[in-house]
Amino acid sequence: MSTTEARRAEPVTTVLTWQVRPGRERQFEEWTHGITRCARRFPGNEGVSWLTPEDGHRYHAVLRWSDRHRLAAWLESEERAHWHRQIHDIAVEISSERQSTTGLETWFSLPGTTVQAPPRWKMVLTTFLGAYPFVLLVQ
């Protein structure tokens, strides 16, 4: 398997941001239940979590998928488009804030940047060197 194929097969997490019109929060939250059920039935979905604001009108959906290909299939699917048409006057997705990660690369780059993630062996070594001394200390 090539490096590119391995990257496509890695699990991926994506954060989607929604701007909800004031006073429409309850309708949006009802909508989130339906689209979440739909996404969970889609091949490759490993879970959806919603982060709701304490104040303000930005909601965040954290989607976990088995690989980038299946995530892309969901994002471009007719099912998702159908759900989006239902709330065009309630909320809008802020696509410029969409972020996707495959794992520990977020330790090495800032969100929104296009910096290439370090090789997997470097992330494993860094994790091991950070965790091993701590585990020894705790024991």
Side-chain angles (χ1 to χ4, degrees):
M1 181 182 290
S2 72
T3 305
T4 304
E5 290 171 342
R7 280 193 171 272
R8 280 191 211 135
E10 291 178 339
V12 62
T13 300
T14 296
V15 177
L16 306 176
T17 301
W18 291 86
Q19 181 69 38
V20 179
R21 286 183 174 66
R24 307 299 292 270
E25 295 84 5
R26 183 177 171 147
Q27 292 170 300
F28 181 77
E29 289 176 9
E30 290 173 6
W31 175 85
T32 65
H33 296 296
I35 195 167
T36 298
R37 282 190 303 274
C38 182
R40 286 183 176 151
R41 290 190 303 264
F42 212 81
N45 182 275
E46 295 180 352
V48 178
S49 300
W50 285 91
L51 306 174
T52 57
E54 289 186 27
D55 56 352
H57 305 284
R58 284 187 184 230
Y59 288 71
H60 304 280
V62 180
L63 297 88
R64 293 172 304 283
W65 294 85
S66 60
D67 58 65
R68 289 186 185 278
H69 175 70
R70 290 186 174 176
L71 169 63
W74 163 251
L75 293 174
E76 298 167 4
S77 71
E78 180 54 39
E79 293 94 330
R80 182 173 185 267
H82 169 76
W83 281 97
H84 280 231
R85 286 190 294 270
Q86 293 180 18
I87 62 158
H88 71 278
D89 60 338
I90 296 172
V92 63
E93 180 185 350
I94 304 171
S95 57
S96 63
E97 293 186 18
R98 185 180 293 176
Q99 298 178 18
S100 294
T101 62
T102 58
L104 295 175
E105 74 271 10
T106 56
W107 291 10
F108 299 92
S109 63
L110 296 173
T113 64
T114 57
V115 176
Q116 185 74 12
R120 173 97 43 218
W121 70 267
K122 286 184 179 180
M123 294 190 303
V124 169
L125 181 63
T126 302
T127 303
F128 178 76
L129 291 175
Y132 185 71
F134 180 73
V135 169
L136 285 177
L137 180 65
V138 169
Q139 291 180 353

